[in-house]
């Protein structure tokens, strides 16, 4: 028997320490929050994907009275990117959240279902997706992509 450990590598930084392009992507995620539809949770989330031609595609959470029919911001953005720009790799994804009149102090992190969809998008284009999680008290940058956040993945390789 042996015990293995999964380690998550990420960087904590401030907005000022980011590149202009990263700041721009975070700004887009924050802007996307304005299009969130969250009348039930009042938890508004915005996501912005950066494509390999520098296009930014945004998404926001879209809730539903039948709660499970709603959709997270990350998947809204990724599915939109995948359908409108099917031949473009997603190279980065920024996420921000707003509730009770302010952006969250702590960055929020994608849910399990969104992590699975991020993995699929990485594999679709064979390109890791840098993940930027915005909080007013600090920003988390996951340079290595979804492998840092989703160990022991289920992917297409099992279906062969
Ligand atoms: N939500 C997202 O859009 N992204 C996340 O990473 C976490 C949660 C949404 C789903 C739901 O509309 C609301 O936030 C509360 O869970």
């Amino acid at each position: 028997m042996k015990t293995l450990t999964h380690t998550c590598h990420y960087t904590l930084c401030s907005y000022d320490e980011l590149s202009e392009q990263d700041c721009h992507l975070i700004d887009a995620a924050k802007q996307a929050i304005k299009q969130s539809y969250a009348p039930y949770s009042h938890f508004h989330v915005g996501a912005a994907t950066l494509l390999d031609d520098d296009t930014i595609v945004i998404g926001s959470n879209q809730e539903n009275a039948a709660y499970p029919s709603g959709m997270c911001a990350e998947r809204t953005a990724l599915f939109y990117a995948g359908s409108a720009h099917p031949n473009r790799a997603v190279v980065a994804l920024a996420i921000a959240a707003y509730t009770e009149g302010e952006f969250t102090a702590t960055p929020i992190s994608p849910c399990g279902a969104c992590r699975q969809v991020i993995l699929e998008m990485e594999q679709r284009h064979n390109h890791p997706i840098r993940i930027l999680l915005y909080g007013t008290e600090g920003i988390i940058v996951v340079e290595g992509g979804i492998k840092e956040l989703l160990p022991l993945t289920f992917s297409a390789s099992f279906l062969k």
Side-chain angles (χ1 to χ4, degrees):
M1 198 192 296
K2 70 176 170 181
T3 304
L4 305 176
T5 305
H6 172 80
T7 308
C8 172
H9 302 93
Y10 61 94
T11 308
L12 265 176
C13 62
S14 66
Y15 186 83
D16 298 340
E17 291 172 309
L18 291 172
S19 68
E20 204 176 316
Q21 192 179 44
D22 283 349
C23 287
H24 190 51
L25 197 63
I26 283 175
D27 293 346
K30 291 169 75 176
Q31 281 293 323
I33 286 171
K34 295 186 177 145
Q35 288 155 349
S36 152
Y37 176 67
Y40 306 105
S41 70
H42 305 287
F43 193 79
H44 301 271
V45 185
T49 59
L50 177 70
L51 310 187
D52 62 4
D53 64 352
D54 290 341
T55 302
I56 289 178
V57 173
I58 60 164
S60 55
N61 58 330
Q62 301 293 315
E63 295 187 348
N64 193 288
Y67 291 2
S69 301
M71 183 54 64
C72 290
E74 297 90 322
R75 275 178 287 161
T76 303
L78 286 164
F79 290 149
Y80 181 20
S83 55
H85 306 271
N87 300 316
R88 289 285 166 203
V90 174
V91 299
L93 168 69
I95 304 161
Y98 184 95
T99 192
E100 293 175 347
E102 52 193 21
F103 291 106
T104 59
T106 307
I108 69 152
S109 184
C111 77
C114 289
R115 292 177 195 212
Q116 186 69 30
V117 170
I118 295 168
L119 172 68
E120 187 77 24
M121 187 58 95
E122 285 193 351
Q123 294 186 340
R124 176 171 170 174
H125 295 290
N126 196 24
H127 198 296
I129 299 176
R130 292 175 67 243
I131 302 169
L132 301 139
L133 308 175
Y134 174 79
T136 56
E137 286 177 2
I139 294 161
I140 290 176
V141 183
V142 184
E143 295 285 355
I146 201 63
K147 71 176 191 304
E148 304 293 346
L149 302 182
L150 192 65
L152 302 175
T153 54
F154 180 82
S155 68
S157 61
F158 289 105
L159 300 176
K160 285 172 191 145

